[in-house]
Amino acid sequence: MPLIEFHNVNKWFGDFHVLKNINESVNKGEVLVICGPSGSGKSTLVRCINRLEDIQQGEIIINGQVVTHKNQDLNALRSEIGIVFQQFNLYPHLTVLKNITLAPIKVKKITKEEAEQTALRLLDRVGIGNQAHKYPIELSGGQQQRVAIARALAMKPQIMLFDEPTSALDPEMINEVLNVMKNLAREGMTMLCVTHEMGFAREVADRVIFMDHGEILERGTPGHFFTSPEHERTKAFLREIL
Amino acid sequence: MDTFTTWFFGLFTNWPVVWKNFDYLLIGAYPQGPLGGLAMSIVMAVIGIFGAFWIGLAVGLMRLSRKKWLSWPALVYIEIIRGTPLLMVIFWFYFFAPILLGQAVPETHSAIAAFTVFTSAYVAEIVRAGVLAIPKGQTEAARSSGLSHTQTMMYIILPQALRNMIPSFVNQFVSLTKDTSLAMIINVNELTLSARHIYTRTMKAPMEIFLTIAVLYFIICWVLTAFSRKLERNMSRYQARNNAH
């Protein structure tokens, strides 16, 4: 059984049809890379999974449960799904440690000591164990994004969503973030990554989908996607980006 | 000295009247009699701003709510108060509070209630602006980690918004401190009325007396503004930056 399923998902922003008849599924432990030009609906697709955006038609099913109905407990759903944003969105008034421990303490109700231990372990894992007591503004962009990943992981999510995690970073900081994501993929995390990092896609993606104007135009393994794309627009996109 | 300067300084020759009554300007007849003067102005302003903070916080958050039955009353409250002169609000409380409560209400209490209600509408707008100024990504990050709307407000949005609000909030306090002078109209013995008492008692030195209270108002407000500027500089550090392109 797939972990995440999209069934005929449609979404509009006013008159603008952002997602058109999306059907897709992601298995447990799979890494799916979503690429496409800006405005193609790829970020929206990812943000529908944790209901940061609501869909108007179709359904999204996680672990066999429809999560897009009205009575869904959003906080319960969201505590199972980590998300990493383009702009990091760390809490500037809290230290790195408190950024990470806030949700586990308040949502999962675990003790402060346990949350801090987990946080320090995660910070070590993303390579910034010595920055726990700094404020976000004192860190570089790459470090901030790694804190954001640690913050998402602290909730022990089943699924990790990445919404262009490296697009706001200076080039020399992109790799430190991608390396963390690669390790996560190797450890078997189910990941959906909206990204323009084709090297990353080639190396760790199980499948790549290409979106344009709200539709999935191309889907396949990285091998298929990069060597023999079928759709003209995919070819044009790859020429632009590679 | 030319004739104008001579004439002008001739207006300010009776300072002993001010010095002899200076304690009355500062604290009224206290401790033998009731508190008055500058102390009364400050007491009213402090109680007023304290009450206005909590009411304003509640009304401002209601105004931001997506639920119509919460936001609509808040909007009406804010708009009515902001469209009304403070003097009129003072009269409302002065005349209606005793009728509503069925008993005599001290003028000071009516005045403080009026200041609280009046200022709270402005504080509500400050709160609203402060909350809206926090980047949307903060709410998204908090909500997507499973925090509820209330938790997000309490731990993420308000701590940042309240910090940003401090300068506007102090401005409001400065306005209120000056506006407490309007309470003399319902016979509250605050600084301005104390000054008039001294003048009507002595029938001397109006220029000296009223220049003195102007200086007193100015000192209070200037100190507050300087304090607010210092706070503003100290807290610009940990603000969420909207670094979207």
Side-chain angles (χ1 to χ4, degrees), chain A residues 47 50 52 75 78-79 81 83 85-87 89-94 102-103 106-107 109 135 137-138 144 151 155 167-168, chain B residues 136-149 151 155-157 159-160 163 236-241 243-245:
Chain A
R47 289 160 59 92
N50 69 352
L52 277 181
N75 300 334
R78 286 165 174 168
S79 65
I81 304 173
I83 183 165
F85 301 92
Q86 185 177 357
Q87 300 296 338
N89 295 343
L90 294 180
Y91 312 131
H93 61 302
L94 301 178
L102 181 71
K106 300 297 175 194
V107 181
K109 310 284 180 201
Y135 283 89
I137 203 166
E138 299 169 284
Q144 289 191 43
R151 178 175 68 177
M155 292 296 281
S167 300
Chain B
K136 222 178 114 213
Q138 293 288 306
T139 310
E140 287 188 348
R143 292 309 303 276
S144 54
S145 69
L147 293 171
S148 68
H149 174 79
Q151 287 173 323
Y155 302 119
I156 304 302
I157 305 301
Q160 298 183 59
R163 236 183 281 205
S236 54
R237 241 178 117 185
Y238 302 117
Q239 274 172 8
R241 288 169 309 165
N243 47 0
H245 351 267

Side-chain angles (χ1 to χ4, degrees), chain A residues 91-233:
Chain A
Y91 312 131
H93 61 302
L94 301 178
T95 61
V96 164
L97 191 65
K98 286 200 172 138
N99 262 274
I100 300 175
T101 56
L102 181 71
I105 293 172
K106 300 297 175 194
V107 181
K108 293 224 152 148
K109 310 284 180 201
I110 67 171
T111 63
K112 191 175 167 226
E113 291 70 32
E114 198 188 333
E116 286 183 351
Q117 273 173 16
T118 313
L120 291 170
R121 219 183 46 241
L122 285 167
L123 282 173
D124 268 335
R125 200 165 128 195
V126 300
I128 38 177
N130 51 348
Q131 315 278 15
H133 298 287
K134 290 193 175 166
Y135 283 89
I137 203 166
E138 299 169 284
L139 305 183
S140 72
Q143 291 173 324
Q144 289 191 43
Q145 193 61 302
R146 285 185 281 158
V147 172
I149 294 174
R151 178 175 68 177
L153 291 175
M155 292 296 281
K156 304 197 166 67
Q158 296 189 47
I159 301 166
M160 283 287 286
L161 309 173
F162 292 86
D163 187 3
E164 304 205 28
T166 56
S167 300
L169 294 176
D170 293 333
E172 73 269 23
M173 294 171 183
I174 290 178
N175 275 328
E176 61 192 57
V177 171
L178 290 180
N179 285 336
V180 169
M181 291 169 64
K182 284 175 194 168
N183 285 335
L184 204 54
R186 278 188 212 111
E187 287 159 22
M189 177 62 79
T190 310
M191 294 165 57
L192 279 79
C193 313
V194 175
T195 184
H196 296 298
E197 296 298 326
M198 292 301 129
F200 172 80
R202 227 179 237 147
E203 196 183 328
V204 294
D206 295 299
R207 282 187 305 125
V208 182
I209 63 179
F210 174 75
M211 288 184 71
D212 195 16
H213 293 113
E215 289 173 289
I216 298 178
L217 291 183
E218 187 106 26
R219 34 165 63 95
T221 60
H224 159 82
F225 187 79
F226 290 109
T227 52
S228 51
E230 280 150 29
H231 211 284
E232 271 312 312
R233 269 188 278 177

Side-chain angles (χ1 to χ4, degrees), chain B:
Chain B
M1 280 200 285
D2 63 65
T3 45
F4 174 78
T5 322
T6 317
W7 167 80
F8 184 76
F9 282 104
L11 295 173
F12 299 92
T13 49
N14 210 344
W15 292 104
V17 172
V18 172
W19 306 139
K20 254 183 267 162
N21 294 287
F22 201 62
D23 58 334
Y24 190 73
L25 281 182
L26 290 183
I27 54 171
Y30 195 80
Q32 288 80 26
L35 189 73
L38 182 62
M40 178 58 103
S41 297
I42 292 174
V43 165
M44 287 196 299
V46 169
I47 299 177
I49 199 79
F50 188 79
F53 173 78
W54 292 106
I55 299 178
L57 184 62
V59 174
L61 292 178
M62 280 169 66
R63 172 85 178 81
L64 284 163
S65 172
R66 256 184 261 164
K67 297 183 184 95
K68 277 253 157 63
W69 59 273
L70 277 175
S71 68
W72 222 78
L75 177 72
V76 170
Y77 178 84
I78 293 167
E79 291 305 318
I80 287 182
I81 302 282
R82 292 208 308 165
T84 314
L86 175 53
L87 196 55
M88 228 183 75
V89 180
I90 293 173
F91 278 138
W92 280 355
F93 278 89
Y94 181 63
F95 290 117
F96 292 129
I99 296 171
L100 283 176
L101 298 174
Q103 59 181 52
V105 176
E107 294 90 350
T108 319
H109 294 192
S110 296
I112 290 173
F115 293 139
T116 306
V117 166
F118 183 81
T119 307
S120 68
Y122 292 85
V123 173
E125 285 296 275
I126 294 172
V127 169
R128 188 170 82 99
V131 168
L132 289 178
I134 303 299
K136 222 178 114 213
Q138 293 288 306
T139 310
E140 287 188 348
R143 292 309 303 276
S144 54
S145 69
L147 293 171
S148 68
H149 174 79
T150 313
Q151 287 173 323
T152 302
M153 271 292 165
M154 244 165 72
Y155 302 119
I156 304 302
I157 305 301
L158 285 180
Q160 298 183 59
L162 292 179
R163 236 183 281 205
N164 297 351
M165 279 164 42
I166 291 173
S168 319
F169 191 69
V170 174
N171 276 343
Q172 204 58 53
F173 187 47
V174 168
S175 292
L176 178 58
T177 305
K178 292 181 291 181
D179 287 347
T180 53
S181 58
L182 290 172
M184 75 175 285
I185 210 78
I186 58 169
N187 221 20
V188 174
N189 189 16
E190 45 64 64
L191 182 55
T192 309
L193 189 59
S194 300
R196 211 172 71 163
H197 282 163
I198 295 169
Y199 174 65
T200 44
R201 207 162 53 221
T202 59
M203 289 310 276
K204 275 184 201 149
M207 301 295 275
E208 291 86 344
I209 293 168
F210 285 97
L211 182 66
T212 305
I213 69 165
V215 170
L216 288 174
Y217 278 119
F218 177 81
I219 291 173
I220 297 286
C221 295
W222 185 78
V223 167
L224 280 170
T225 312
F227 171 68
S228 142
R229 264 196 227 109
K230 193 163 172 243
L231 271 179
E232 210 173 339
R233 269 198 303 275
N234 286 347
M235 80 197 182
S236 54
R237 241 178 117 185
Y238 302 117
Q239 274 172 8
R241 288 169 309 165
N242 223 336
N243 47 0
H245 351 267

